[in-house]
Amino acid sequence: MLISIDDYIKAGRIAAEVREHMRKRYHVGRTLLEICEEAESMIRARGGEPAFPCNVSLNEVAAHYTAEPDDSIEVRDGDILKIDIGVHVNGSIADTAVTVCYNPSYSMLVEAAEHALREAVRVARVGTKASDIGRVIEHTIRSYGLKPIQNLSGHSIASYTIHAGKSIPNIWTIGSFALQQGEVYAIEPFVTTGDGSGVVYNGDVSNIYSLVTKKRTGDKDADEFINMLWDRFRTLPFALRWLRDKDLRHARDMLAFLLKKKIVRAYPVLVEGNERYVAQAEHTMIPTNEGTLVITA
Ligand code: MN
Ligand code: MN
């Protein structure tokens, strides 16, 4: 597979800069909306585009929350917050995440996630089995007396496609593929407490969407809306916030209609099974024969 290495390097550099800015900032008292908008405007200011709405998932929510257009939820002292950032340059995607922690009881979760990611990167190269990466991640996390989330995983990345079909597990699993030359992968350990279930389920909220198909509906308004989504996002995920220049009530109605027709899909928030807190760390990398090029380092 031919990939544009320069675009990946640029996307990775931008994603890393935004992530490090977010790691250093003190977020208590800020709204999730401010955080998302800051991340996304930093991406655009550096010449990238968000590959998906900035994810800001608090505490027992492991992933897939993004701010609503009028979101007033604030980060409070005692929270842990996963900030997951996606950048694309001409469709070449970098995916990276950091957990900021305002609760000393959970700092070990963050440490374990970062440590597991470092160990995974250390073993990743052309030919490494995804199952061996999962084993290293699980072993590292369990050495802290903590649990990996077993139904969340890293993934292969392709042009304009965040999840390109291959999964890199966070636990040891039987049978898997080997990392290939010229492919791009995200590795993302998720960690919960020893008394967590280690499994996430779909929560009630869904506020990230993507276009599944450009199939016509026969309804003129809906077909125009589909064209607009394709022009702006192709099949990449988007948020209602990104349609602010449109009539939001109309956009909401259109999304509800297209969801029913399965032309648009929604991604529910993912919640820890025992509602225990979750930490995440993530890098995007391109394996080589010698090791791995971490584009979000
Ligand atoms: Mn991510
Ligand atoms: Mn990812």
Side-chain angles (χ1 to χ4, degrees), residues 106 145-147 192-198 272-277:
Y106 296 104
L146 301 169
K147 266 189 195 165
T192 190
T193 53
D195 61 355
S197 71
E272 210 289 319
N274 289 345
E275 303 195 343
R276 296 300 186 259
Y277 284 17

Side-chain angles (χ1 to χ4, degrees), residues 52 84 95 188 280 282:
F52 50 79
D84 194 330
D95 184 4
E188 48 183 318
Q280 172 202 17
E282 180 175 22

Side-chain angles (χ1 to χ4, degrees), residues 62 109 112-113 116-117 133-153 168-173 188-200 272-273 276-280:
L109 270 64
L117 180 57
I133 295 176
R135 188 168 47 77
V136 164
I137 290 173
E138 177 170 18
H139 176 80
T140 306
I141 293 169
R142 290 204 185 270
S143 74
Y144 287 79
L146 301 169
K147 266 189 195 165
I149 302 287
Q150 55 180 276
N151 61 341
L152 289 176
S153 56
I168 300 182
N170 287 325
I171 54 165
W172 186 81
T173 47
E188 48 183 318
F190 285 84
V191 180
T192 190
T193 53
D195 61 355
S197 71
V199 173
V200 290
E272 210 289 319
R276 296 300 186 259
Y277 284 17
V278 179
Q280 172 202 17

Side-chain angles (χ1 to χ4, degrees), residues 1 8-9 16 45 88 115-116 119 123 141 183 200 207 216 227 239 288 294:
M1 187 183 65
Y8 274 106
I9 301 263
H88 82 86
H115 186 187
E119 294 299 313
V123 300
I141 293 169
E183 287 209 322
V200 290
N207 54 22
R216 307 287 84 186
N227 285 341
T288 68
V294 180

